[in-house]
């Protein structure tokens, strides 16, 4: 019976995992951050950081990170639906490529003392004395390590859990799938500083300029429609035309990537000495940077429970995570789920757009989700 090798193992170095590793390393814990892919890497994502995400980074001690990386200020949201256009002001936002953001967050965790291993796949195994085991695979080599607490932040794909863990992943029937590409040239009509969102009957397409000047295109489509149209490029062209947006011919020659189903949930998001973060816990179709905000906010919310779990783990900590996650993130996801329901119905979505056009304050719950006081209460003070 030996002590766990690590205080915390974090699986997945996206925004949720990397920020959690950063915060826990600031608490002087021994943290191993594991990522199966090499960095930097491009990923299907809207690349938008909303006010929640930016305030979460500030509360984590990284207030200038996005600006130092060249994040593009986002000032407007341009909506297109059934050839009707609407532009709303954004209170706070930035556009930053995931390749640059994720690498910077991982490096920030290392600067605080975390150990970061890329090119390493991980699977959560069973409990061990005082902790939980994690199986690591890198190339042809395999090894087993252990930690007092394990955080899983593996994104939309498989959470890397064995059946014995007791957490099940459920994909919502008829869930849309994501797709995206990056255009280094072209799409000149889609300028900097604006999120352009085209909404169609079978999906939506978002376009935004990143810090390099490239256009990031991220979309969500009905799976059957994606098959019928012959691929993401054709489906995106159809949505843009349906919304009355300018076509993007360059997208037909771009290298598109797809994602698993966008609406899925792992339940419960906790087990013995194990918490799920970010997209690995649950995910629904996001809008205007919501997904990034959920990931970063969840990372901050988990830190106090992980610190408590270093000394004594109990079922109450698991229940606390379920309640905290539901209060902070589950409520926001329910709001987005309701919006997704409306946007799949042409008549209802047309009425909603007309109402927001007449009364812009109706969009406030999506554009102003949290205040500074609510975020500040989640951030623990670093150990001296």
């Amino acid at each position: 019976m030996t002590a766990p090798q690590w205080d915390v193992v974090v699986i997945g170095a996206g925004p949720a995992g990397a920020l959690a590793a950063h915060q826990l390393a600031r608490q002087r814990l021994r943290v191993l951050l594991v990522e199966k892919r090499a960095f930097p890497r491009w990923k299907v994502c809207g690349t938008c950081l909303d006010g929640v995400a930016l305030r979460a980074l500030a509360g984590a001690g990284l207030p200038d990170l996005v600006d130092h990386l060249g994040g593009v200020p986002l000032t407007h949201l341009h909506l297109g639906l059934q050839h009707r256009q609407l532009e709303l002001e954004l209170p706070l936002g930035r556009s930053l490529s995931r390749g640059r953001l994720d690498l910077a967050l991982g490096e920030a965790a290392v600067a605080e003392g975390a150990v970061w291993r890329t090119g390493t796949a991980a699977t959560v195994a069973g409990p061990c004395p005082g902790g939980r085991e994690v199986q690591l695979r890198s190339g042809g080599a395999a090894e087993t390590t252990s930690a007092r607490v394990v955080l899983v932040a593996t994104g939309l794909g498989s959470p890397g859990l064995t059946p014995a863990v007791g957490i099940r992943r459920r994909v919502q029937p008829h869930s849309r799938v994501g797709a995206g590409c990056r255009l280094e040239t072209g799409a000149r009509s889609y300028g900097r500083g604006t999120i352009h969102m085209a909404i169609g009957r079978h999906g939506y397409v978002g376009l935004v300029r990143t810090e390099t000047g490239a256009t990031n295109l991220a979309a969500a489509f009905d799976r059957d429609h994606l098959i019928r149209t012959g691929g993401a490029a054709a489906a995106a062209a159809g949505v843009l035309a349906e919304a009355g947006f300018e076509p993007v011919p360059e997208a037909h020659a771009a290298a598109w990537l797809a994602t698993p189903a966008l609406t899925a949930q792992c339940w419960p998001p906790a087990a013995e000495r194990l918490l799920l973060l970010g997209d690995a816990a649950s995910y629904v179709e996001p809008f205007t940077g919501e997904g990034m905000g959920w990931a970063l906010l969840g990372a901050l919310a988990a830190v106090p429970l992980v610190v408590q779990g270093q000394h004594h783990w109990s079922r109450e900590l698991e229940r606390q995570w379920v309640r905290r996650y539901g209060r902070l993130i589950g409520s926001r996801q329910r709001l987005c789920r309701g919006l997704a329901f409306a946007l799949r119905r042409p008549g209802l979505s047309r009425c909603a757009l007309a109402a927001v056009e007449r009364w812009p304050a109706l969009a406030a719950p999506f554009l102003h989700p949290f205040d500074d006081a609510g975020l500040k209460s989640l951030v623990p003070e670093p150990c001296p």
Side-chain angles (χ1 to χ4, degrees), residues 269-357:
E272 184 179 349
R273 297 187 178 273
L274 173 66
L275 302 179
L276 271 60
L277 301 180
D279 300 353
S282 65
Y283 195 73
V284 302
E285 296 176 30
F287 300 91
T288 66
E290 286 271 358
M292 298 288 282
W294 299 336
L296 296 171
L297 187 60
L300 297 186
V303 168
L305 300 182
V306 175
V307 172
Q308 291 181 52
Q310 297 298 305
H311 307 290
H312 174 68
W313 188 267
S314 68
R315 293 296 300 274
E316 177 57 26
L317 286 178
E318 299 169 30
R319 289 190 286 266
Q320 284 186 42
W321 178 238
V322 171
R323 292 193 297 267
R324 182 172 296 193
Y325 190 90
R327 178 173 59 87
L328 291 174
I329 298 167
S331 59
R332 296 296 305 166
Q333 292 184 342
R334 287 190 293 272
L335 191 62
C336 281
R337 192 177 289 112
L339 180 58
F341 175 87
L343 293 179
R344 291 189 185 209
R345 288 151 180 82
L348 187 56
S349 57
R350 185 168 54 249
C351 291
L353 188 67
V356 171
E357 187 174 19

Side-chain angles (χ1 to χ4, degrees), residues 3 27 38 52 64 71 79 96 99 139 154 185 212 217 281 306 311 361 364:
Q27 299 290 322
V52 171
D64 303 318
L79 294 171
L96 182 66
T154 49
T185 59
T212 65
L217 193 154
V306 175
H311 307 290

